[in-house]
Amino acid sequence: MTKLRSVTLNDKAQPICELPVLSGTLGPDVVDVQALYTQTGMFTFDPGFTSTASCRSAITYIDGEAGILLYRGYPIEQLAEQSTFLEVCYLLLHGELPNSDEMEHFDHNITMHTMVHDQLSAFFKGFRRDAHPMAIMVGVVGALSSFYHDALDIRSKEDREMCAIRLIAKVPTIVAMCHKYSIGLPFIYPQNKLRYVQNFMRMMHSTPCDEYEPNPVLVRALDRILILHADHEQNASTSTVRLAGSSGANPFACVTAGIACLWGAAHGGANEAVLYMLEEIGDVSNISKYINKAKDKDDPFRLMGFGHRVYKNHDPRAKLMRETCHEVLTELGLHEDKLFKLALELERIALEDEYFIEKKLYPNVDFYSGIVLHALGIPSKMFTAVFAMGRTVGWISHWDEMISDPEQKIGRPRQLYTGASRRDLPPEHIKSV
Ligand code: CMC
């Protein structure tokens, strides 16, 4: 990071402060406002952090205008086509792709930690069977912090690495347990002879009475979903993990904060919302009614799976997911299925509609991942939990980067106070002693 130049802030044409401008490897320069308050007595105001770089990071780069997404410098298209999710995990955590020995060691380590402590299973019984899987995820992943707390030194690189391994290994087991619990079937233990995604699919779909043989096309589709969701720089849930972790809190608890944030429909909940929306629309003949609702300013309805805070031309993940979507529909012979036909028609109409073109509202990754997950036989309620499974590596990589940063300090935003000025309690509230 280099200091390029500075900008001068003027008030009524009088210079009041000079602020350094910093430059990263890629992307816009940033004005370093750290000295602003001491020099001017003013804060910056940026609700939703639309213009604020909250940290330095060397993990992921996004150019929303150009539709570029790089993990550690590698384009998402190359990783999605040539890598596996576990290779991407290694890359995000360590900064470089693994050689074959490193990969074998990493893969083995993950496999050896897929089982959860037996007592963790007891937590599930406290939840209603119809509890939302994300509510269970918040409870159960949060509970991991109680199993790994006293012996965990967040200043130790080895401890942080072990924590990352445990999370990447155990979250799929917990996600599958959430599913089995909600349908009243026994938990299925992981099997060490299986690869990461096969193992997850088996834990989801087999029963003690019936083995499940994962179809390689579907395995590859889920692997791609995980790769595409693995990281997305300072999105809401990752920023939440960083903020929670900035106080030195237990990393399992911090990742749980990320899971809570991810749940919302404007973030990870969108893939689930896409399916509910398609079910609500119901038939191709109703699409124009819903397109009009989405355009109506007085109607809160939005087309779920369309639009993105950062990608204003196209979401590169959506293009890859669209490809996968067609592969899966072809493999399963579902192109003529009513729901999938409806989704593809909605996509076509929205892409041609003036309102969506003008506002640059393109289908995002969750539009297609929702459709693919549905085709994979994963219930809609579980979609965001699968997103969390992919994003766990991103959360823990950012947490690790933050804790290793020598300049790291507790996150503490300021505010523009708009409440009452100082006032005294009214006489009737003053108690006589
Ligand atoms: N349907 C209809 N209108 C929309 C939509 C939509 N999906 N998204 C944005 N708009 C309109 C919005 O009404 C506003 O119109 P106007 O300028 O007339 O007020 C304009 O487009 C800009 O919207 P915004 O809310 O200011 O844009 P944003 O960048 O703050 O919001 C978003 C981004 C993703 C929250 C929003 O597009 C949205 O709610 N999309 C649907 C939910 C969704 O698919 N979320 C998943 C995001 S991808 C997964 C992830 O990376 O987490």
Side-chain angles (χ1 to χ4, degrees):
M1 190 184 65
T2 48
K3 184 179 152 187
L4 273 187
R5 55 186 196 279
S6 57
V7 286
T8 307
L9 203 64
N10 296 313
D11 190 9
K12 297 190 185 104
Q14 290 302 310
I16 52 165
C17 167
E18 194 172 284
L19 297 166
V21 174
L22 309 177
S23 183
T25 8
L26 294 169
D29 296 335
V30 301
V31 181
D32 179 350
V33 295
Q34 288 181 88
L36 185 73
Y37 180 61
T38 42
Q39 289 190 26
T40 67
M42 287 191 284
F43 297 141
T44 54
F45 181 61
D46 185 17
F49 307 116
T50 54
S51 296
T52 298
S54 61
C55 62
R56 282 172 219 178
S57 183
I59 302 176
T60 290
Y61 172 75
I62 299 173
D63 181 336
E65 294 301 324
I68 292 171
L69 169 62
L70 310 176
Y71 290 167
R72 300 285 190 182
Y74 295 110
I76 192 66
E77 292 81 2
Q78 292 179 21
L79 292 168
E81 266 145 33
Q82 310 295 333
S83 295
T84 63
F85 175 63
L86 278 195
E87 275 172 339
V88 167
C89 287
Y90 186 99
L91 172 70
L92 288 170
L93 280 169
H94 297 278
E96 295 299 334
L97 285 165
N99 62 31
S100 56
D101 286 350
E102 287 163 340
M103 191 60 223
E104 200 180 316
H105 180 68
F106 184 69
D107 200 336
H108 177 77
N109 242 344
I110 297 276
T111 305
M112 287 305 150
H113 286 91
T114 47
M115 248 196 323
V116 293
H117 195 291
D118 206 38
Q119 268 168 263
L120 197 80
S121 314
F123 276 84
F124 283 85
K125 295 225 157 60
F127 291 97
R128 288 166 54 125
R129 289 273 176 196
D130 61 355
H132 195 283
M134 288 300 277
I136 306 183
M137 288 284 289
V138 167
V140 178
V141 178
L144 284 178
S145 59
S146 68
F147 291 83
Y148 310 105
H149 183 67
D150 294 341
L152 175 74
D153 173 8
I154 59 170
R155 301 278 145 212
S156 146
K157 192 170 178 306
E158 289 71 35
D159 281 15
R160 291 201 301 275
E161 162 112 24
M162 180 44 72
C163 174
I165 298 273
R166 284 195 167 117
L167 274 161
I168 296 166
K170 291 183 202 304
V171 167
T173 311
I174 295 174
V175 171
M177 289 168 91
C178 288
H179 173 55
K180 289 295 182 196
Y181 185 75
S182 73
I183 53 174
L185 287 178
F187 299 142
I188 301 295
Y189 287 117
Q191 270 194 359
N192 289 352
K193 65 175 187 205
L194 294 178
R195 313 304 306 271
Y196 191 81
V197 172
Q198 277 99 331
N199 201 16
F200 170 69
M201 287 172 96
R202 186 183 160 274
M203 288 189 288
M204 285 288 287
H205 296 309
S206 72
T207 70
C209 317
D210 258 328
E211 245 326 308
Y212 170 81
E213 278 300 322
N215 169 333
V217 175
L218 308 190
V219 169
R220 185 68 200 143
L222 189 51
D223 196 78
R224 186 174 271 196
I225 289 186
L226 299 181
I227 292 176
L228 299 184
H229 286 87
D231 194 38
H232 215 225
E233 53 118 302
Q234 311 310 322
N235 59 87
S237 57
T238 301
S239 299
T240 302
V241 172
R242 279 185 176 261
L243 195 57
S246 74
S247 69
N250 179 295
F252 294 91
C254 298
V255 164
T256 306
I259 294 175
C261 178
L262 186 74
W263 190 358
H267 192 6
N271 51 14
E272 177 183 353
V274 166
L275 253 285
Y276 296 137
M277 175 190 75
L278 292 174
E279 278 158 11
E280 189 185 327
I281 298 176
D283 193 81
V284 173
S285 60
N286 294 328
I287 291 180
S288 60
K289 180 177 129 200
Y290 281 88
I291 295 265
N292 289 337
K293 271 165 78 65
K295 293 195 242 177
D296 181 354
K297 277 218 159 304
D298 299 324
D299 190 325
F301 177 80
R302 281 186 170 201
L303 276 194
M304 287 293 126
F306 283 77
H308 199 274
R309 167 61 64 80
V310 179
Y311 297 117
K312 296 300 178 196
N313 281 316
H314 77 275
D315 176 344
R317 304 166 304 167
K319 193 164 164 255
L320 294 158
M321 208 63 244
R322 186 176 193 278
E323 243 172 61
T324 300
C325 179
H326 284 284
E327 270 166 35
V328 168
L329 296 186
T330 305
E331 175 69 15
L332 299 176
L334 288 172
H335 268 110
E336 289 310 307
D337 178 277
K338 192 174 176 204
L339 189 105
F340 296 112
K341 268 177 99 168
L342 171 63
L344 299 177
E345 187 58 9
L346 177 66
E347 175 209 33
R348 191 189 65 76
I349 294 177
L351 283 174
E352 287 171 1
D353 190 284
E354 253 327 294
Y355 174 91
F356 287 87
I357 296 170
E358 190 212 313
K359 292 198 183 298
K360 302 188 168 180
L361 299 170
Y362 301 92
N364 57 48
V365 65
D366 286 330
F367 180 72
Y368 300 106
S369 68
I371 301 171
V372 173
L373 289 170
H374 184 65
L376 260 51
I378 296 177
S380 330
K381 265 173 100 176
M382 292 298 302
F383 289 1
T384 316
V386 175
F387 186 159
M389 201 172 118
R391 186 55 57 86
T392 296
V393 64
W395 290 329
I396 202 68
S397 302
H398 280 270
W399 171 81
D400 181 61
E401 183 179 66
M402 179 199 61
I403 296 291
S404 324
D405 181 354
E407 287 179 13
Q408 184 266 327
K409 46 177 96 154
I410 187 166
R412 176 56 172 93
R414 309 307 289 248
Q415 64 171 10
L416 176 63
Y417 177 68
T418 56
S421 301
R422 189 204 178 278
R423 51 184 167 166
D424 291 321
L425 283 173
E428 64 272 23
H429 275 262
I430 298 174
K431 297 186 184 75
S432 50
V433 251

